[in-house]
């Protein structure tokens, strides 16, 4: 059999304010505020919900964020490219405003989630997939599992 890479996540806090931990106030990573022209979408995939920024028309570009970030990390790119492409930037499961993680996940699970997001959005043509950090690992899994759906890997 083929081995499966399992990813475990730890819960942690992000602090805002002073660099001194004694003066910091507890916070959490929040998505950037939606723009008026591009409010986030909630996309149903199986029994899960994925929050995503989706805008534009043209050849699709799928952006996959790194750990421990969310779709907001791609805001500058999605806004710049929405005039010429359909841009899709989902929160991966367990991140941002998407469904929480209820069991250990593999990169293959995340890749299959992305294929489900594309299905739910009716994206049938191959996508340009851009992943950073953990998003790059997810992108490689997507390329391996869903090769016909991939035009380019960045």
């Amino acid at each position: 059999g083929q081995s499966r890479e399992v990813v475990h996540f730890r819960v942690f806090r992000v602090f805002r304010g002073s660099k001194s931990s004694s003066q910091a106030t507890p916070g959490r990573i929040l998505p950037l505020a939606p723009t008026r022209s591009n409010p986030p979408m909630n996309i149903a995939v199986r029994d899960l919900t994925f929050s995503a920024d989706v805008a534009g028309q043209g050849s699709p570009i799928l952006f996959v964020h790194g750990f421990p970030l969310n779709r907001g990390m791609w805001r500058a790119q999605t806004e710049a490219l929405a005039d010429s492409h359909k841009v899709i930037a989902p929160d991966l499961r367990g991140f941002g405003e998407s469904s929480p993680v209820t069991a250990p996940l593999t990169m293959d699970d995340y890749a299959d989630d992305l294929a489900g997001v594309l299905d739910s959005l009716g994206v049938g043509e191959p996508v340009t997939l851009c992943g950073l950090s953990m998003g790059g690992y997810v992108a490689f899994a997507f390329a391996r599992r869903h090769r016909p759906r991939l035009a380019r890997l960045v």
Side-chain angles (χ1 to χ4, degrees):
Q2 192 175 19
S3 67
R4 289 174 48 131
E5 180 180 349
V6 177
V7 178
H8 298 275
F9 296 98
R10 293 180 184 221
V11 177
F12 61 93
R13 288 187 185 188
V14 174
F15 292 94
R16 292 187 300 252
S18 168
K19 290 185 180 181
S20 164
S21 62
S22 63
Q23 297 175 358
T25 56
R28 61 189 176 108
I29 297 174
L30 298 172
L32 295 174
T35 62
R36 285 180 215 205
S37 62
N38 186 25
M41 293 181 67
N42 289 319
I43 302 164
V45 177
R46 297 177 302 279
D47 59 342
L48 304 167
T49 301
F50 294 89
S51 187
D53 291 333
V54 179
Q57 298 206 1
S59 61
I61 304 174
L62 178 61
F63 293 94
V64 187
H65 64 79
F67 179 87
L69 305 171
N70 60 41
R71 70 185 189 276
M73 71 167 282
W74 296 112
R75 182 63 49 88
Q77 289 80 8
T78 58
E79 288 178 354
L81 293 169
D83 288 339
S84 57
H85 295 82
K86 180 176 188 123
V87 293
I88 306 160
D91 285 334
L92 293 173
R93 191 181 340 175
F95 295 88
E97 298 175 88
S98 290
S99 292
V101 172
T102 58
L105 295 172
T106 66
M107 295 299 117
D108 289 350
D109 294 325
Y110 285 120
D112 294 346
D113 288 347
L114 292 177
V117 166
L118 294 175
D119 290 341
S120 292
L121 291 173
V123 176
E125 70 180 281
V127 301
T128 296
L129 180 54
C130 181
L132 178 74
S133 186
M134 187 182 100
Y137 286 104
V138 174
F140 282 130
F142 188 93
R144 194 177 65 255
R145 295 176 66 81
H146 305 281
R147 180 63 186 104
R149 302 194 78 170
L150 187 64
R152 290 170 208 83
L153 184 59
V154 180

